Amino acid sequence: MAAPLRVEGLGEVLQEILDSGAAGLNKEDLVDILGEIQEVGAVASLFRAAEGSVSQDAPAYWLCQKVISSLGEIGTPEALECIRRMAGRSWPDAIRWHPAVELGIENELGFGEGQTLG
């Protein structure tokens, strides 16, 4: 509902809330909305949210998946670069697959159909 309304300043407010790291936040919803409204200014915050969640988001990495999707919706060169970084070897394979799919480079990164379907 936030995307069609185009409320001025909404993205900045949501970004501040996400960056605050306050206890009890539903980060997944904030990440979803920032992607939906294509908040260009939130790219760095989204990436930081993913980085901060890796150690506690296993094994499914739901927040990381949502960050990748939102960065894809934003679609700026900076957002796409963050997705590329998440496809790098320093990230767990369970995460790396999602940016590879978002960028269409799964085969290039060595993710075969057997790995992804499993």
Side-chain angles (χ1 to χ4, degrees):
M1 190 161 105
L5 293 176
R6 298 285 179 208
V7 175
E8 190 168 328
L10 176 63
E12 291 88 6
V13 170
L14 294 177
Q15 181 182 337
E16 284 181 35
I17 295 169
L18 181 62
D19 285 341
S20 77
L25 284 179
N26 186 330
K27 291 181 181 180
E28 291 177 13
D29 284 348
L30 293 172
V31 167
D32 272 342
I33 295 167
L34 287 166
E36 245 183 80
I37 64 173
Q38 298 176 321
E39 180 57 45
V40 173
V43 170
S45 293
L46 290 168
F47 187 73
R48 281 193 302 273
E51 285 181 312
S53 76
V54 171
S55 63
Q56 56 223 338
D57 205 19
Y61 300 102
W62 297 116
L63 184 62
C64 289
Q65 289 181 51
K66 293 204 179 247
V67 166
I68 293 161
S69 176
S70 288
L71 290 170
E73 287 183 86
I74 293 170
T76 63
E78 180 187 13
L80 297 176
E81 180 55 34
C82 287
I83 295 172
R84 278 186 205 86
R85 287 175 58 191
M86 292 177 78
R89 291 259 176 229
S90 63
W91 290 78
D93 282 347
I95 295 173
R96 293 179 61 238
W97 181 76
H98 296 283
V101 169
E102 184 74 34
L103 297 171
I105 58 172
E106 337 52 322
N107 292 335
E108 186 179 314
L109 293 182
F111 288 105
E113 190 172 309
Q115 274 183 289
T116 58
L117 297 178

